Coordinates of all heavy atoms in Angstrom, one line a residue:
G26 N 0.8 -1.2 0.0 CA 0.0 0.0 0.0 C 0.8 1.3 0.0 O 0.3 2.4 0.0
D27 N 2.1 1.1 0.0 CA 3.0 2.3 0.0 C 3.5 2.6 -1.4 O 4.1 1.8 -2.0 CB 4.2 2.0 0.9 CG 5.1 3.2 1.1 OD1 5.0 4.2 0.4 OD2 6.0 3.1 2.1
P28 N 3.2 3.8 -1.9 CA 3.6 4.1 -3.3 C 5.1 4.0 -3.5 O 5.5 3.7 -4.6 CB 3.1 5.5 -3.5 CG 2.0 5.7 -2.5 CD 2.4 4.9 -1.3
K29 N 5.9 4.2 -2.4 CA 7.3 4.0 -2.6 C 7.8 2.6 -2.6 O 8.9 2.3 -2.9 CB 8.0 4.8 -1.4 CG 7.7 6.3 -1.5 CD 8.4 7.0 -0.3 CE 8.2 8.5 -0.4 NZ 8.9 9.2 0.8
N30 N 6.9 1.7 -2.1 CA 7.2 0.3 -2.0 C 5.9 -0.5 -2.2 O 5.3 -1.1 -1.3 CB 7.8 -0.1 -0.6 CG 8.2 -1.6 -0.6 OD1 8.5 -2.2 -1.6 ND2 8.2 -2.1 0.6
P31 N 5.4 -0.6 -3.5 CA 4.1 -1.2 -3.8 C 4.1 -2.7 -3.8 O 3.1 -3.3 -4.1 CB 3.9 -0.6 -5.2 CG 5.2 -0.4 -5.8 CD 6.1 0.0 -4.7
E32 N 5.3 -3.3 -3.6 CA 5.3 -4.8 -3.7 C 4.5 -5.4 -2.5 O 4.5 -4.9 -1.4 CB 6.8 -5.3 -3.6 CG 7.6 -4.8 -4.8 CD 7.1 -5.3 -6.1 OE1 6.7 -6.5 -6.1 OE2 7.2 -4.6 -7.1
D33 N 3.9 -6.5 -2.8 CA 3.2 -7.3 -1.8 C 4.2 -7.8 -0.8 O 5.4 -8.1 -1.1 CB 2.4 -8.5 -2.4 CG 1.3 -8.0 -3.3 OD1 0.9 -6.9 -3.2 OD2 0.9 -8.8 -4.1
V34 N 3.8 -7.9 0.5 CA 4.7 -8.3 1.6 C 4.4 -9.7 2.1 O 3.3 -9.9 2.6 CB 4.7 -7.2 2.7 CG1 5.6 -7.7 3.8 CG2 5.1 -5.9 2.1
V35 N 5.3 -10.6 2.1 CA 5.1 -11.9 2.6 C 5.6 -11.9 4.1 O 6.7 -11.4 4.4 CB 5.9 -13.0 1.8 CG1 5.8 -14.4 2.5 CG2 5.5 -13.0 0.4
Q36 N 4.8 -12.3 5.0 CA 5.1 -12.3 6.4 C 5.9 -13.5 6.9 O 6.0 -14.5 6.2 CB 3.8 -12.2 7.2 CG 3.0 -10.9 7.1 CD 3.9 -9.7 7.5 OE1 4.5 -9.7 8.5 NE2 3.9 -8.7 6.6
T37 N 6.6 -13.3 8.0 CA 7.4 -14.4 8.5 C 6.6 -15.7 8.8 O 5.5 -15.6 9.2 CB 8.1 -13.9 9.8 OG1 8.9 -14.9 10.4 CG2 7.1 -13.4 10.9
K38 N 7.3 -16.8 8.7 CA 6.7 -18.1 9.1 C 7.3 -18.6 10.4 O 7.1 -19.8 10.7 CB 7.0 -19.1 8.0 CG 6.2 -18.9 6.7 CD 6.4 -20.0 5.7 CE 5.5 -19.9 4.5 NZ 5.7 -21.0 3.5
T39 N 8.1 -17.8 11.1 CA 8.7 -18.2 12.3 C 7.6 -18.7 13.3 O 6.7 -18.0 13.5 CB 9.5 -17.1 12.9 OG1 10.5 -16.6 12.0 CG2 10.2 -17.5 14.2
R40 N 7.9 -19.9 13.8 CA 6.9 -20.5 14.7 C 6.7 -19.6 16.0 O 7.7 -19.2 16.6 CB 7.3 -21.9 15.1 CG 6.2 -22.7 15.8 CD 6.7 -24.1 16.0 NE 5.5 -25.0 16.1 CZ 5.6 -26.3 16.3 NH1 6.9 -26.9 16.4 NH2 4.6 -27.1 16.4
G41 N 5.5 -19.3 16.3 CA 5.2 -18.5 17.5 C 5.2 -17.0 17.2 O 4.9 -16.2 18.1
S42 N 5.4 -16.6 15.9 CA 5.3 -15.2 15.5 C 3.8 -14.8 15.5 O 2.9 -15.6 15.1 CB 6.0 -14.9 14.2 OG 5.4 -15.7 13.2
L43 N 3.6 -13.5 15.9 CA 2.2 -13.0 15.9 C 2.2 -11.8 15.0 O 2.9 -10.8 15.2 CB 1.9 -12.6 17.3 CG 0.5 -12.0 17.6 CD1 -0.6 -13.0 17.4 CD2 0.4 -11.4 19.0
I44 N 1.3 -11.9 14.0 CA 1.1 -10.8 13.0 C -0.2 -10.1 13.4 O -1.2 -10.6 13.5 CB 1.0 -11.3 11.6 CG1 2.1 -12.3 11.2 CG2 1.0 -10.1 10.6 CD1 3.5 -11.8 11.4
V45 N 0.0 -8.8 13.7 CA -1.2 -7.9 14.1 C -1.3 -6.8 13.1 O -0.4 -6.2 12.7 CB -1.0 -7.3 15.5 CG1 -2.2 -6.5 16.0 CG2 -0.7 -8.4 16.6
F46 N -2.6 -6.6 12.6 CA -2.8 -5.7 11.5 C -4.1 -5.1 11.6 O -5.1 -5.6 12.2 CB -2.5 -6.3 10.2 CG -3.3 -7.6 9.9 CD1 -4.5 -7.5 9.2 CD2 -2.9 -8.8 10.4 CE1 -5.3 -8.6 8.9 CE2 -3.7 -10.0 10.1 CZ -4.9 -9.9 9.4
D47 N -4.2 -3.9 10.9 CA -5.5 -3.2 10.8 C -6.5 -4.1 10.0 O -6.1 -4.6 8.9 CB -5.3 -1.9 10.0 CG -6.5 -1.0 10.0 OD1 -7.5 -1.4 9.5 OD2 -6.4 0.2 10.5
S48 N -7.7 -4.3 10.5 CA -8.6 -5.2 9.9 C -9.0 -4.8 8.5 O -9.6 -5.6 7.7 CB -9.9 -5.4 10.7 OG -9.5 -6.0 12.0
R49 N -8.7 -3.6 8.1 CA -9.1 -3.1 6.7 C -8.0 -3.4 5.7 O -8.1 -3.2 4.5 CB -9.3 -1.6 6.7 CG -10.5 -1.1 7.6 CD -10.5 0.4 7.9 NE -9.3 0.8 8.7 CZ -9.1 2.0 9.1 NH1 -9.9 3.0 8.8 NH2 -8.0 2.3 9.8
Q50 N -6.9 -4.0 6.2 CA -5.7 -4.3 5.3 C -6.0 -5.5 4.5 O -6.4 -6.6 4.9 CB -4.5 -4.5 6.2 CG -3.2 -4.8 5.4 CD -2.7 -3.6 4.7 OE1 -2.8 -2.5 5.3 NE2 -2.2 -3.8 3.5

């Protein structure tokens, strides 16, 4: 969503990692 970095972002697969994000994302 960043015009300066429009690439899709793959999140970490590290076990136990917690991804928190705006529900509109």
Side-chain angles (χ1 to χ4, degrees):
D27 187 344
K29 296 181 180 179
N30 183 25
E32 298 296 323
D33 297 338
V34 177
V35 179
Q36 293 300 312
T37 177
K38 289 185 176 181
T39 301
R40 195 174 202 179
S42 59
L43 181 67
I44 312 300
V45 182
F46 55 97
D47 188 302
S48 297
R49 298 166 293 182
Q50 181 71 37

